Amino acid sequence: MTHLQAGLSPDTIEKARLELNENPDVLHQDIQQVRDMIITRPDIGFLRTDDAFILRFLRARKFHQADAFRLLAQYFQYRQLNLDMFKNFKADDPGIKRALIDGFPGVLENRDHYGRKILLLFAANWDQSRNSFTDILRAILLSLEVLIEDPELQINGFILIIDWSNFSFKQASKLTPSILKLAIEGLQDSFPARFGGVHFVNQPWYIHALYTLIKPFLKDKTRKRIFLHGNNLNSLHQLIHPEFLPSEFGGTLPPYDMGTWARTLLGPDYSDENDYTHTSYNAMYVKHTCSNLERECSPKPMKRSQSVVEAGTLKHEEKGENENTQPLLALD
């Protein structure tokens, strides 16, 4: 086993071999072949090219070297083309802090039965007078930068659940094609994460209509990985077991505290009262895994950022009763 696999469980190492074609005997050669391609794109500044960094791109593209390099190039090109988004790209940036405090994104402490990290977005918590969509996207990308430092998550991936309860038509009208395209380019095309599924719950009709706006920007592969559950708990629980979900989604865990992840990034002395701590967090250089931080940051009651969904809002439905559980789109 190479040092690049140090810390991985035996099961994860075997999963990487079977699902991602990861071979420890040629791992360094695979990485070097991707690195050798950098010379073909002199128009892009590759700001980081160490082994561990390139490895996550290989894992995201199942060790297809050309695809991994294409993703690596798109990662840095996206940042070059959107310089303002990545200026002061730290948790203590005022815009990112506000988004984190409002629960964008939520991150569950425990992983699902496949070892995937579960991210939550409660769409109705988007106060458009307080947070721009761009800052919410920046907070999500920063969070992914932190999480992807964990090699287990590079292999096992992520699940995203978006709860659209009480998300108004007025709020939806702010989701313009240009900002949706920006989000899709940042998540689907330019980030080395494996998304096993994106799950919509309690979505209104106008969220369905958004599909027509984003369809031109989606790959065929990605359209298979968003599931529209409506208020049907059965279909959600078939894919994510209730023991891994908070009560808002019919799970057995307590209701999700929106400040959990913000406290993880901002520090244990984080306050919900806009008097933020100023612990700098540079996502491009993370030495410690977030799991250690999560254990250190004990939950505190949040005054502002709570789920807008009461426990039990979703319901169980008989098979066939709800027709909106088919895959729609994904961000992989």
Side-chain angles (χ1 to χ4, degrees), residues 57-245:
F57 291 86
L58 281 163
R59 285 170 169 162
R61 291 297 180 261
K62 297 186 176 181
F63 279 79
H64 296 294
Q65 295 161 4
D67 291 344
F69 173 71
R70 188 176 301 111
L71 180 60
L72 177 67
Q74 289 170 337
Y75 173 92
F76 285 113
Q77 186 174 45
Y78 182 78
R79 281 147 182 75
Q80 284 183 194
L81 294 174
N82 300 284
L83 289 174
D84 288 344
M85 281 183 59
F86 297 95
K87 189 180 299 180
N88 196 36
F89 190 52
K90 300 180 290 185
D92 63 359
D93 173 82
I96 292 177
K97 279 190 296 191
R98 285 192 299 270
L100 290 170
I101 287 168
D102 285 2
F104 296 106
V107 180
L108 296 185
E109 181 177 358
N110 296 321
R111 304 171 187 183
D112 77 352
H113 52 294
Y114 291 118
R116 300 174 297 192
K117 200 72 169 175
I118 301 175
L119 279 63
L120 307 174
L121 294 176
F122 293 91
N125 278 14
W126 181 19
D127 181 345
Q128 295 170 352
S129 66
R130 175 177 164 87
N131 294 311
S132 69
F133 182 87
T134 300
D135 281 336
I136 289 175
L137 178 58
R138 294 173 73 218
I140 293 170
L141 288 171
L142 175 66
S143 298
L144 287 171
E145 290 280 6
V146 175
L147 293 166
I148 205 65
E149 289 288 331
D150 185 342
E152 292 269 344
L153 294 180
Q154 295 171 19
I155 294 166
N156 292 324
F158 300 88
I159 291 292
L160 175 63
I161 304 176
I162 306 177
D163 182 9
W164 298 98
S165 300
N166 300 322
F167 188 71
S168 69
F169 185 85
K170 181 179 179 181
Q171 286 174 302
S173 69
K174 302 297 184 182
L175 297 175
T176 63
S178 60
I179 63 174
L180 290 172
K181 184 174 182 289
L182 183 69
I184 291 168
E185 288 175 347
L187 295 168
Q188 173 188 258
D189 301 325
S190 308
F191 197 84
R194 305 182 67 217
F195 276 91
V198 179
H199 300 268
F200 286 13
V201 297
N202 291 323
Q203 70 278 0
W205 66 266
Y206 38 86
I207 296 303
H208 289 257
L210 283 176
Y211 173 64
T212 60
L213 296 178
I214 53 182
K215 184 177 179 180
F217 308 127
L218 296 173
K219 301 173 182 176
D220 290 338
K221 172 185 174 182
T222 64
R223 284 197 290 266
K224 300 175 181 177
R225 294 186 183 177
I226 276 185
F227 297 85
L228 300 184
H229 299 283
N231 59 0
N232 183 357
L233 276 178
N234 287 335
S235 63
L236 179 65
H237 291 169
Q238 286 170 9
L239 299 171
I240 308 174
H241 298 170
E243 57 265 34
F244 303 109
L245 293 171

Side-chain angles (χ1 to χ4, degrees), residues 256-298:
Y256 182 69
D257 175 358
M258 289 292 181
T260 300
W261 182 242
R263 285 191 296 271
T264 298
L265 295 189
L266 292 169
D269 56 344
Y270 153 78
S271 169
D272 191 36
E273 292 297 334
N274 290 340
D275 51 342
Y276 315 117
T277 59
H278 291 275
T279 303
S280 175
Y281 200 104
N282 187 340
M284 291 297 292
Y285 189 72
V286 183
K287 280 289 188 181
H288 302 288
T289 62
C290 59
S291 58
N292 292 330
L293 288 171
E294 288 175 276
R295 286 192 291 270
E296 294 170 4
C297 302
S298 57

Side-chain angles (χ1 to χ4, degrees), residues 3-30:
H3 74 278
L4 291 169
Q5 293 182 317
L8 293 175
S9 69
D11 287 345
T12 304
I13 291 174
E14 180 65 6
K15 181 177 183 178
R17 184 183 71 84
L18 294 175
E19 296 185 12
L20 305 184
N21 307 305
E22 184 167 326
N23 182 351
D25 296 332
V26 295
L27 202 54
H28 290 282
Q29 294 95 308
D30 289 335

